[in-house]
Amino acid sequence: MSPTATANAPGAAREVTAPPRPTAPIGRAAARKRKSMSARLTSAAGKLVALAIVVVAWHVFVTGPGKASGIPTPLQLIETGAELVVTGQYWDAVGNTLLTALIGFGLSVLIGVPLGLVNGTYRKVEQSTSFVVDFGRTIPGVAILPLVLLLFGGTRTMAVVLVMFSAVWPILVQSTYAAQQLSSQMKQVARAFRLSPTSRIRDIYLPSSLPFLMTGLRIAATISLLITISAEFLGGADGIGQRLYQALTVDDTQRMFVYVFTAGVLGICLNRLLVLAQSRVLWWHPSERVNKP
């Protein structure tokens, strides 16, 4: 009997094949991936073009109308930078600046976050301290430099105190907002389920406050680096700011611009690290998912 007749015979077992799997979702995912890659390449190309325009304009200005200003050309800056980055003096300055900024930033977080959460949780406390907070955050950190210099001299302690005074305010304010935006429904849920204080903080309070806290941390981190370099420049603490002042006093503009660009690169790297950390911590938040494929 032929295979065809056997397949068509009554009672014969029929071979059942699974229907083909749909390929539309896979195609859409691939299209989104290609679109995302194209957008990233376009953005990178635009940044490179803008950078090239700035470098060309810089070179034209320095070699033309700004020749008497003493500003180095891009090539001279690269040559001086290549000579400096192989010296221990350069990396000592970078390390001292980063260490001072990190210490001041860490202490600001330890002080600002708890005080801000308490301030935002209890309305009477917030009303009592609102004037102090508004007044304190409007004072520039550099304004108290003479007082801090009298107390601590041109040391790292002086720079750390100055950083703490400047960076604690955005953390305190954002922590206050974070505690205030917690809805009453969420608090009722925590009470209804009789969650422990640890569970309330871990599962309800902390996720709800993280978007505000991350914003405050990014602002405070940038302020910490800026104030550190300012304290080193004006107060004499060891670091990039002190090297800038030394280069300025001997009119070494090439070395001075190398340290200026070093400070800029550190700021960009610090902000990028915080953006990556925010995307990792707030992966569930709509603000982080809106542009992802």
Side-chain angles (χ1 to χ4, degrees), residues 88-104:
Q89 182 183 14
Y90 175 84
W91 292 109
D92 285 342
V94 172
N96 287 327
T97 296
L98 286 177
L99 182 59
T100 302
L102 288 175
I103 293 174

Side-chain angles (χ1 to χ4, degrees), residues 54 104 113 123-124 135 143 168 173 184 194 203 254 282 287:
V54 170
V113 172
R123 183 171 180 80
K124 292 184 178 179
F135 179 77
V168 73
V173 171
S184 58
R194 297 182 179 180
D203 301 324
Q254 295 186 17
L282 300 178
S287 63

Side-chain angles (χ1 to χ4, degrees), residues 155-233:
T155 61
R156 173 171 290 159
T157 303
M158 174 272 301
V160 168
V161 171
L162 210 60
V163 170
M164 287 174 54
F165 178 82
S166 303
V168 73
W169 300 113
I171 298 176
L172 177 62
V173 171
Q174 290 299 120
S175 301
T176 301
Y177 290 156
Q180 290 176 341
Q181 62 85 38
L182 186 63
S183 64
S184 58
Q185 290 82 1
M186 298 296 290
K187 297 178 182 178
Q188 291 174 2
V189 168
R191 287 194 296 267
F193 283 92
R194 297 182 179 180
L195 297 179
S196 64
T198 303
S199 298
R200 293 186 185 190
I201 294 174
R202 183 184 66 243
D203 301 324
I204 296 181
Y205 299 159
L206 188 59
S208 300
S209 61
L210 273 177
F212 291 89
L213 291 178
M214 291 303 300
T215 301
L217 293 180
R218 288 180 59 185
I219 297 173
T222 303
I223 292 175
S224 298
L225 183 62
L226 295 176
I227 295 298
T228 298
I229 296 176
S230 300
E232 293 167 350
F233 184 87

